[in-house]
Amino acid sequence: MYNIFKLAVRNLKRYKRRTFLTSMLITLGVVAVLLFVSISGSFKAMMIGQITDSMLGHLQIHRKGYLASIDSLPLNRNLNAKQVAKVEQVLADIDAVDTYSMRIKLGAMFSNFVETTNIRLNAVLPEQELNTVPLLSERIVQGQAAGLIEKGEILIPELIAKGMKVKVGDSIVLVANNKDGSVNGLTLQVRGILEGISGPGGRDGVIHLEDAKTLLRFTGVEISEIAIRLKNMNHLPQTFADLTAKLSSIKNQQGQPVFEVHTWEKLSPFFNIAKMIDLMTFFIRIMLVAIVLVSIMNVMIMAVYERINEIGTIAAIGTLPARILGIFMVEGFLLGVLGTAIGTIISLITITIMNASKISFDFGRQTGLLLAPTISAGEVIVVVLTVIGIAVVASLQPAYKAAKMDPIAALRHV
Amino acid sequence: MSLVVAKKLKKTYIAGDITVNAIQGVDFSIESASFVSFVGPSGSGKSTLLNMIGCLDPPTEGALQVADSDITRLDRREAARFRGENIGFVFQDFNLIPVLTVFENVEYPLQMVQNWPASKRRKRVQDLLGAVGMADQGNKYPSQISGGQKQRVAVARALVTNAKLVLADEPTANLDRTTATRIIDLMKNMRDEFGTTFIFSTHDPKVVKNAEIIYTLEDGRLKESRSGNGGHHV
């Protein structure tokens, strides 16, 4: 095998410029893919992290039909005490569940005593909420972040704070209809101002669950949604399947399921952007495959054509067809390895430089997001093996042609 | 003892509607350690005959034995293996591998065809390079040596595997008179030293003159067989 490699290396060195240009083409493809995967992957992971860890959680449970009418924040589709207890029982049996948070979602009129506007609110138990969406406190741009919220306080979204000229410490009034239609008001103090983020719930205010119960005159337990955090997000599909199976077996008197379970993917439009990023990554990979395939095949076809006489000579002196095949396939393999090695090194250096440069970018209303491209060893290995594999596959046809060449015809070739 | 035996050997090429009878039923036998030349005008079938003896082209009809093996029914792989074990080739254009040094070119059949161990290989190659007078040129590449030297290397490569038979197609065609004579002398010496049979196809009178047996081909038929330097007609 060493001899085949030696011969392949010598032949690659024979056509230095061609070897260099082909390797550079593969290098370019590898760099493009690795950088795109690292940047888009980091952006995607960051956005998903923001969405799940500061807003949605990984999974949510609602009463059946709640999500279809979530825009109107219906109060008559809340989970009652018995239903909540059943959900808690199911969640306790699933190991993958780390923690969960009970929420009441409501719409209200927000008044600063001068002006009035609409506000969407999440009423939460602070400890539960912080455990489930730990990045929520990081969205508090003004006011006290620790402890999230206490009774009598409200966290208001940035846009309302600006529009209504409300500051931390100001008093405001919330006015809301309960599910029977009667109106009630509650005075709260602004504890902090929340940074808005893209997606549903990204511009909601936050109040304490007990305040919501007071405002809405709930006497017992009423919960709009239960947000769930998993120990490991990679377990999401399995946990979703387990939870759906367990909860769908609980039916109402009409034999219909009582609950509905949704992953963050169903709840956030960013999932479609994430899907698009995946699709783009896929097409970039296809382009890389095409670049490697075409360039290696082209070079190897040329190599075979230029060395027909040599092929005839080595075939005549007894080189077995399999060995001739090997000589040319190893050449393609080495071209792939060379291009991939240079491309991987350049990519990793570039990623390191980009991380060191702390490049920031804006996404929607979010500004100053830090670009922190990372790439897993697994991703690098997949790209490297793909390129090398394609290089070998691309050299297969020319190598096969060389191995099958008639020695007499090859020796006569001028 | 006969090394090559051909009986009623025929080779026909068909290209579309055209049929070419390149070899039309020839019979001959060649003894071991002989120095044989096939002569004849262009298109007489010399190269075709050499290709058939060299297992590069199967006969259409007839029997052909080389080194006691019937080589008419070998498949591609078997033919390659047979060539690697029994036959050496010397080409008109030398056909050295340009990316390998002189030493590596001679080593190639041992390494890539017969898989000899490195230590044994090295000694054998050194011996052969010494025998052809190229011992001090081993590290040079083919582009760095003359035509005559290239052909010496080619002879060494042909002999390095202890081939029983060396086939040389116009081995002196690209060499000047002096060099051609030296190459012929070299091959004759190699025949004497290693007992290898040399078969040539040639136009070159120098080669013909040195051959011990001369077969003359015309239109694919064996016209005469005579011994070299004015041997008898048959």
Side-chain angles (χ1 to χ4, degrees):
Chain A
M1 202 63 189
Y2 167 76
N3 301 315
I4 292 181
F5 270 84
K6 183 178 77 178
L7 201 56
V9 169
R10 299 260 184 98
N11 278 315
L12 289 176
K13 281 163 79 176
R14 178 167 19 166
Y15 304 104
K16 283 193 186 76
R17 188 181 301 172
R18 191 166 69 194
T19 301
F20 173 77
L21 288 174
T22 309
S23 302
M24 284 307 104
L25 201 58
I26 296 169
T27 298
L28 197 68
V30 169
V31 169
V33 169
L34 289 181
L35 288 187
F36 186 82
V37 166
S38 67
I39 292 170
S40 66
S42 306
F43 169 71
K44 202 175 85 176
M46 187 177 65
M47 291 309 294
I48 292 170
Q50 282 258 338
I51 289 163
T52 58
D53 293 357
S54 77
M55 196 161 62
L56 294 178
H58 298 142
L59 288 155
Q60 288 188 358
I61 299 170
H62 302 96
R63 190 167 151 192
K64 188 80 180 168
Y66 183 86
L67 202 69
S69 51
I70 197 166
D71 281 346
S72 61
L73 300 172
L75 294 171
N76 59 354
R77 288 197 172 271
N78 285 344
L79 301 168
N80 60 31
K82 200 172 152 194
Q83 290 161 344
V84 169
K86 278 190 177 165
V87 171
E88 286 189 299
Q89 200 180 337
V90 168
L91 292 176
D93 289 342
I94 298 176
D95 278 348
V97 172
D98 184 23
T99 181
Y100 54 87
S101 176
M102 309 280 184
R103 293 170 178 170
I104 298 170
K105 294 178 86 73
L106 68 148
M109 298 299 288
F110 176 98
S111 171
N112 62 358
F113 304 101
V114 180
E115 293 175 279
T116 302
T117 187
N118 295 317
I119 187 168
R120 295 168 64 97
L121 294 159
N122 279 333
V124 300
L125 292 168
E127 197 180 340
Q128 273 189 1
E129 187 71 2
L130 280 178
N131 287 337
T132 307
V133 284
L135 295 184
L136 178 59
S137 57
E138 289 182 16
R139 284 174 51 205
I140 300 173
V141 288
Q142 285 178 45
Q144 192 190 340
L148 190 65
I149 194 98
E150 284 182 16
K151 278 189 221 170
E153 293 178 336
I154 183 170
L155 295 169
I156 59 169
E158 237 177 340
L159 279 178
I160 288 182
K162 276 185 188 161
M164 301 287 285
K165 298 182 181 65
V166 176
K167 298 187 294 295
V168 174
D170 288 356
S171 288
I172 58 97
V173 175
L174 291 180
V175 179
N177 283 67
N178 69 6
K179 63 181 172 185
D180 301 323
S182 59
V183 179
N184 193 27
L186 185 68
T187 304
L188 299 168
Q189 192 181 35
V190 176
R191 176 188 170 102
I193 293 169
L194 271 179
E195 179 194 32
I197 61 168
S198 307
R203 280 163 227 161
D204 291 358
V206 178
I207 59 172
H208 198 283
L209 195 81
E210 292 303 322
D211 287 337
K213 286 168 81 173
T214 306
L215 181 65
L216 299 171
R217 294 180 179 163
F218 287 163
T219 47
V221 174
E222 290 207 36
I223 295 297
S224 310
E225 75 182 18
I226 300 171
I228 300 163
R229 180 177 182 78
L230 303 181
K231 289 171 184 163
N232 184 343
M233 201 174 169
N234 294 331
H235 298 153
L236 183 64
Q238 185 56 49
T239 313
F240 173 67
D242 291 349
L243 208 50
T244 305
K246 286 183 176 173
L247 290 177
S248 61
S249 65
I250 302 169
K251 308 267 170 73
N252 61 17
Q253 286 171 347
Q254 289 77 42
Q256 299 297 315
V258 178
F259 304 104
E260 58 185 17
V261 186
H262 298 286
T263 62
W264 74 269
E265 295 157 349
K266 259 278 195 233
L267 299 165
S268 170
F270 182 77
F271 180 65
N272 293 326
I273 298 175
K275 277 279 181 206
M276 276 178 63
I277 292 171
D278 290 343
L279 198 66
M280 283 164 70
T281 309
F282 175 74
F283 280 109
I284 295 247
R285 279 173 203 258
I286 294 282
M287 280 167 65
L288 174 68
V289 167
I291 287 171
V292 175
L293 198 71
V294 171
S295 57
I296 298 268
M297 201 177 241
N298 179 43
V299 165
M300 293 316 296
I301 287 172
M302 285 299 292
V304 169
Y305 183 76
E306 284 166 350
R307 281 158 39 203
I308 288 177
N309 209 262
E310 261 175 72
I311 294 165
T313 306
I314 61 172
I317 62 182
T319 311
L320 293 175
R323 196 154 269 196
I324 298 175
L325 184 94
I327 290 170
F328 284 92
M329 284 189 70
V330 166
E331 272 188 54
F333 167 80
L334 288 177
L335 266 175
V337 168
L338 183 65
T340 311
I342 299 170
T344 306
I345 291 167
I346 291 175
S347 301
L348 295 179
I349 291 171
T350 309
I351 289 170
T352 309
I353 291 171
M354 286 171 84
N355 277 309
S357 307
K358 300 202 180 302
I359 301 165
S360 64
F361 69 101
D362 300 338
F363 182 73
R365 289 202 62 253
Q366 291 167 269
T367 55
L369 294 170
L370 205 61
L371 190 66
T374 52
I375 191 155
S376 67
E379 278 282 3
V380 176
I381 289 167
V382 166
V383 171
V384 165
L385 292 183
T386 303
V387 173
I388 294 173
I390 294 297
V392 172
V393 170
S395 25
L396 192 60
Q397 191 273 341
Y400 184 76
K401 195 179 165 191
K404 284 282 169 192
M405 212 170 266
D406 173 23
I408 298 173
L411 284 166
R412 280 196 196 122
H413 183 83
V414 181
Chain B
M1 186 186 161
S2 295
L3 183 73
V4 182
V5 180
K7 284 179 185 164
K8 297 187 172 62
L9 201 61
K10 287 186 182 176
K11 182 69 190 180
T12 306
Y13 295 107
I14 300 168
D17 296 337
I18 302 164
T19 301
V20 178
N21 295 310
I23 299 292
Q24 304 186 54
V26 300
D27 295 270
F28 61 87
S29 73
I30 296 169
E31 299 300 306
S32 286
S34 50
F35 212 65
V36 179
S37 177
F38 284 93
V39 297
S42 290
S44 59
K46 302 185 298 291
S47 295
T48 303
L49 201 53
L50 246 63
N51 287 338
M52 285 196 286
I53 296 169
C55 285
L56 292 169
D57 205 6
T60 311
E61 270 182 49
L64 180 58
Q65 277 202 340
V66 176
D68 297 326
S69 297
D70 177 5
I71 61 162
T72 53
R73 287 185 188 84
L74 299 180
D75 65 22
R76 213 179 149 75
R77 196 181 152 80
E78 289 166 342
R81 209 178 281 282
F82 186 83
R83 287 195 301 272
E85 285 167 4
N86 297 286
I87 304 173
F89 289 86
V90 176
F91 304 97
Q92 178 179 337
D93 296 319
F94 326 123
N95 290 28
L96 300 180
I97 300 167
V99 293
L100 298 181
T101 62
V102 163
F103 185 94
E104 289 165 341
N105 262 287
V106 179
E107 190 186 28
Y108 181 92
L110 300 179
Q111 201 173 37
M112 301 289 272
V113 179
Q114 295 200 345
N115 301 314
W116 283 34
S119 55
K120 221 173 138 192
R121 231 165 43 212
R122 176 160 288 277
K123 181 168 182 339
R124 176 71 180 160
V125 175
Q126 294 285 17
D127 288 349
L128 257 298
L129 284 177
V132 299
M134 293 291 289
D136 55 345
Q137 308 285 321
N139 291 327
K140 288 188 175 168
Y141 284 90
S143 58
Q144 297 169 316
I145 57 177
S146 68
Q149 287 175 316
K150 283 179 191 168
Q151 202 59 304
R152 283 168 180 271
V153 177
V155 170
R157 181 178 66 183
L159 292 168
V160 75
T161 56
N162 291 316
K164 297 180 179 75
L165 173 65
V166 171
L167 299 172
D169 194 1
E170 305 279 2
T172 55
N174 285 338
L175 301 174
D176 60 64
R177 175 181 284 270
T178 316
T179 313
T181 307
R182 280 184 190 154
I183 290 293
I184 296 301
D185 290 343
L186 170 71
M187 289 201 275
K188 221 165 185 179
N189 291 340
M190 293 296 107
R191 190 280 308 266
D192 296 340
E193 194 175 336
F194 300 109
T196 311
T197 303
F198 280 78
I199 302 178
F200 307 90
S201 76
T202 187
H203 285 105
D204 190 339
K206 293 185 297 295
V207 180
V208 177
K209 189 180 75 184
N210 279 281
E212 291 161 354
I213 300 166
I214 302 155
Y215 289 103
T216 306
L217 281 164
E218 211 173 280
D219 296 330
R221 290 193 176 87
L222 209 53
K223 278 291 176 195
E224 63 173 358
S225 161
R226 59 189 165 90
S227 47
N229 298 318
H232 66 281
H233 292 246
V234 282

PDB file of all heavy atoms in Angstrom, chain A residues 26-28 30-31 34 338-348:
ATOM      1  N   ILE A  26     -11.272  22.429  -3.469  1.00  0.00           N
ATOM      2  CA  ILE A  26     -11.858  21.617  -2.388  1.00  0.00           C
ATOM      3  C   ILE A  26     -11.743  22.372  -1.064  1.00  0.00           C
ATOM      4  O   ILE A  26     -12.683  22.419  -0.277  1.00  0.00           O
ATOM      5  CB  ILE A  26     -11.138  20.246  -2.302  1.00  0.00           C
ATOM      6  CG1 ILE A  26     -11.380  19.461  -3.595  1.00  0.00           C
ATOM      7  CG2 ILE A  26     -11.633  19.442  -1.105  1.00  0.00           C
ATOM      8  CD1 ILE A  26     -10.532  18.232  -3.749  1.00  0.00           C
ATOM      9  N   THR A  27     -10.586  23.015  -0.866  1.00  0.00           N
ATOM     10  CA  THR A  27     -10.384  23.811   0.357  1.00  0.00           C
ATOM     11  C   THR A  27     -11.467  24.876   0.490  1.00  0.00           C
ATOM     12  O   THR A  27     -12.061  25.047   1.549  1.00  0.00           O
ATOM     13  CB  THR A  27      -8.989  24.488   0.312  1.00  0.00           C
ATOM     14  OG1 THR A  27      -8.017  23.461   0.277  1.00  0.00           O
ATOM     15  CG2 THR A  27      -8.755  25.370   1.513  1.00  0.00           C
ATOM     16  N   LEU A  28     -11.718  25.564  -0.625  1.00  0.00           N
ATOM     17  CA  LEU A  28     -12.733  26.622  -0.627  1.00  0.00           C
ATOM     18  C   LEU A  28     -14.098  26.058  -0.226  1.00  0.00           C
ATOM     19  O   LEU A  28     -14.812  26.644   0.595  1.00  0.00           O
ATOM     20  CB  LEU A  28     -12.806  27.221  -2.043  1.00  0.00           C
ATOM     21  CG  LEU A  28     -13.476  28.571  -2.178  1.00  0.00           C
ATOM     22  CD1 LEU A  28     -12.640  29.647  -1.513  1.00  0.00           C
ATOM     23  CD2 LEU A  28     -13.675  28.903  -3.652  1.00  0.00           C
ATOM     24  N   VAL A  30     -14.707  23.327   1.503  1.00  0.00           N
ATOM     25  CA  VAL A  30     -14.696  22.883   2.907  1.00  0.00           C
ATOM     26  C   VAL A  30     -14.811  24.100   3.835  1.00  0.00           C
ATOM     27  O   VAL A  30     -15.584  24.081   4.799  1.00  0.00           O
ATOM     28  CB  VAL A  30     -13.407  22.074   3.210  1.00  0.00           C
ATOM     29  CG1 VAL A  30     -13.244  21.825   4.701  1.00  0.00           C
ATOM     30  CG2 VAL A  30     -13.435  20.746   2.471  1.00  0.00           C
ATOM     31  N   VAL A  31     -14.067  25.156   3.503  1.00  0.00           N
ATOM     32  CA  VAL A  31     -14.115  26.377   4.333  1.00  0.00           C
ATOM     33  C   VAL A  31     -15.542  26.940   4.325  1.00  0.00           C
ATOM     34  O   VAL A  31     -16.092  27.279   5.377  1.00  0.00           O
ATOM     35  CB  VAL A  31     -13.101  27.431   3.820  1.00  0.00           C
ATOM     36  CG1 VAL A  31     -13.326  28.779   4.486  1.00  0.00           C
ATOM     37  CG2 VAL A  31     -11.677  26.961   4.082  1.00  0.00           C
ATOM     38  N   LEU A  34     -17.795  24.597   6.471  1.00  0.00           N
ATOM     39  CA  LEU A  34     -17.516  24.619   7.914  1.00  0.00           C
ATOM     40  C   LEU A  34     -17.860  25.971   8.536  1.00  0.00           C
ATOM     41  O   LEU A  34     -18.426  26.020   9.625  1.00  0.00           O
ATOM     42  CB  LEU A  34     -16.052  24.254   8.185  1.00  0.00           C
ATOM     43  CG  LEU A  34     -15.678  22.788   7.942  1.00  0.00           C
ATOM     44  CD1 LEU A  34     -14.212  22.544   8.261  1.00  0.00           C
ATOM     45  CD2 LEU A  34     -16.535  21.844   8.762  1.00  0.00           C
ATOM     46  N   LEU A 338      -5.830  16.298   0.989  1.00  0.00           N
ATOM     47  CA  LEU A 338      -5.059  17.545   0.984  1.00  0.00           C
ATOM     48  C   LEU A 338      -5.993  18.758   1.073  1.00  0.00           C
ATOM     49  O   LEU A 338      -5.821  19.627   1.941  1.00  0.00           O
ATOM     50  CB  LEU A 338      -4.212  17.611  -0.298  1.00  0.00           C
ATOM     51  CG  LEU A 338      -3.290  18.807  -0.441  1.00  0.00           C
ATOM     52  CD1 LEU A 338      -2.215  18.761   0.637  1.00  0.00           C
ATOM     53  CD2 LEU A 338      -2.627  18.823  -1.817  1.00  0.00           C
ATOM     54  N   GLY A 339      -6.993  18.786   0.185  1.00  0.00           N
ATOM     55  CA  GLY A 339      -7.935  19.910   0.183  1.00  0.00           C
ATOM     56  C   GLY A 339      -8.680  20.019   1.497  1.00  0.00           C
ATOM     57  O   GLY A 339      -8.874  21.107   2.039  1.00  0.00           O
ATOM     58  N   THR A 340      -9.097  18.869   2.026  1.00  0.00           N
ATOM     59  CA  THR A 340      -9.869  18.865   3.273  1.00  0.00           C
ATOM     60  C   THR A 340      -9.013  19.311   4.450  1.00  0.00           C
ATOM     61  O   THR A 340      -9.472  20.082   5.297  1.00  0.00           O
ATOM     62  CB  THR A 340     -10.412  17.441   3.547  1.00  0.00           C
ATOM     63  OG1 THR A 340     -11.035  16.970   2.368  1.00  0.00           O
ATOM     64  CG2 THR A 340     -11.406  17.447   4.676  1.00  0.00           C
ATOM     65  N   ALA A 341      -7.779  18.828   4.482  1.00  0.00           N
ATOM     66  CA  ALA A 341      -6.900  19.182   5.610  1.00  0.00           C
ATOM     67  C   ALA A 341      -6.662  20.689   5.642  1.00  0.00           C
ATOM     68  O   ALA A 341      -6.836  21.332   6.684  1.00  0.00           O
ATOM     69  CB  ALA A 341      -5.577  18.439   5.489  1.00  0.00           C
ATOM     70  N   ILE A 342      -6.331  21.255   4.472  1.00  0.00           N
ATOM     71  CA  ILE A 342      -6.078  22.709   4.426  1.00  0.00           C
ATOM     72  C   ILE A 342      -7.363  23.459   4.776  1.00  0.00           C
ATOM     73  O   ILE A 342      -7.352  24.407   5.563  1.00  0.00           O
ATOM     74  CB  ILE A 342      -5.556  23.126   3.033  1.00  0.00           C
ATOM     75  CG1 ILE A 342      -4.229  22.414   2.731  1.00  0.00           C
ATOM     76  CG2 ILE A 342      -5.346  24.640   2.964  1.00  0.00           C
ATOM     77  CD1 ILE A 342      -3.753  22.568   1.296  1.00  0.00           C
ATOM     78  N   GLY A 343      -8.482  23.009   4.197  1.00  0.00           N
ATOM     79  CA  GLY A 343      -9.767  23.672   4.438  1.00  0.00           C
ATOM     80  C   GLY A 343     -10.157  23.628   5.905  1.00  0.00           C
ATOM     81  O   GLY A 343     -10.636  24.626   6.461  1.00  0.00           O
ATOM     82  N   THR A 344      -9.947  22.489   6.541  1.00  0.00           N
ATOM     83  CA  THR A 344     -10.323  22.348   7.956  1.00  0.00           C
ATOM     84  C   THR A 344      -9.454  23.254   8.823  1.00  0.00           C
ATOM     85  O   THR A 344      -9.966  23.939   9.715  1.00  0.00           O
ATOM     86  CB  THR A 344     -10.172  20.868   8.393  1.00  0.00           C
ATOM     87  OG1 THR A 344     -10.934  20.071   7.492  1.00  0.00           O
ATOM     88  CG2 THR A 344     -10.656  20.652   9.808  1.00  0.00           C
ATOM     89  N   ILE A 345      -8.167  23.275   8.527  1.00  0.00           N
ATOM     90  CA  ILE A 345      -7.255  24.121   9.325  1.00  0.00           C
ATOM     91  C   ILE A 345      -7.645  25.598   9.178  1.00  0.00           C
ATOM     92  O   ILE A 345      -7.796  26.319  10.169  1.00  0.00           O
ATOM     93  CB  ILE A 345      -5.776  23.889   8.903  1.00  0.00           C
ATOM     94  CG1 ILE A 345      -5.353  22.477   9.326  1.00  0.00           C
ATOM     95  CG2 ILE A 345      -4.848  24.941   9.508  1.00  0.00           C
ATOM     96  CD1 ILE A 345      -4.051  22.000   8.707  1.00  0.00           C
ATOM     97  N   ILE A 346      -7.872  26.029   7.917  1.00  0.00           N
ATOM     98  CA  ILE A 346      -8.255  27.432   7.683  1.00  0.00           C
ATOM     99  C   ILE A 346      -9.568  27.748   8.414  1.00  0.00           C
ATOM    100  O   ILE A 346      -9.711  28.784   9.062  1.00  0.00           O
ATOM    101  CB  ILE A 346      -8.387  27.725   6.168  1.00  0.00           C
ATOM    102  CG1 ILE A 346      -7.004  27.670   5.507  1.00  0.00           C
ATOM    103  CG2 ILE A 346      -9.047  29.089   5.911  1.00  0.00           C
ATOM    104  CD1 ILE A 346      -7.024  27.825   3.993  1.00  0.00           C
ATOM    105  N   SER A 347     -10.517  26.829   8.330  1.00  0.00           N
ATOM    106  CA  SER A 347     -11.831  27.060   8.970  1.00  0.00           C
ATOM    107  C   SER A 347     -11.682  27.195  10.476  1.00  0.00           C
ATOM    108  O   SER A 347     -12.258  28.116  11.080  1.00  0.00           O
ATOM    109  CB  SER A 347     -12.775  25.899   8.664  1.00  0.00           C
ATOM    110  OG  SER A 347     -12.937  25.767   7.292  1.00  0.00           O
ATOM    111  N   LEU A 348     -10.930  26.286  11.091  1.00  0.00           N
ATOM    112  CA  LEU A 348     -10.801  26.316  12.548  1.00  0.00           C
ATOM    113  C   LEU A 348     -10.079  27.588  13.007  1.00  0.00           C
ATOM    114  O   LEU A 348     -10.473  28.201  14.010  1.00  0.00           O
ATOM    115  CB  LEU A 348     -10.065  25.064  13.055  1.00  0.00           C
ATOM    116  CG  LEU A 348     -10.828  23.741  12.821  1.00  0.00           C
ATOM    117  CD1 LEU A 348     -10.026  22.558  13.329  1.00  0.00           C
ATOM    118  CD2 LEU A 348     -12.202  23.758  13.473  1.00  0.00           C
TER     119      LEU A 348
END
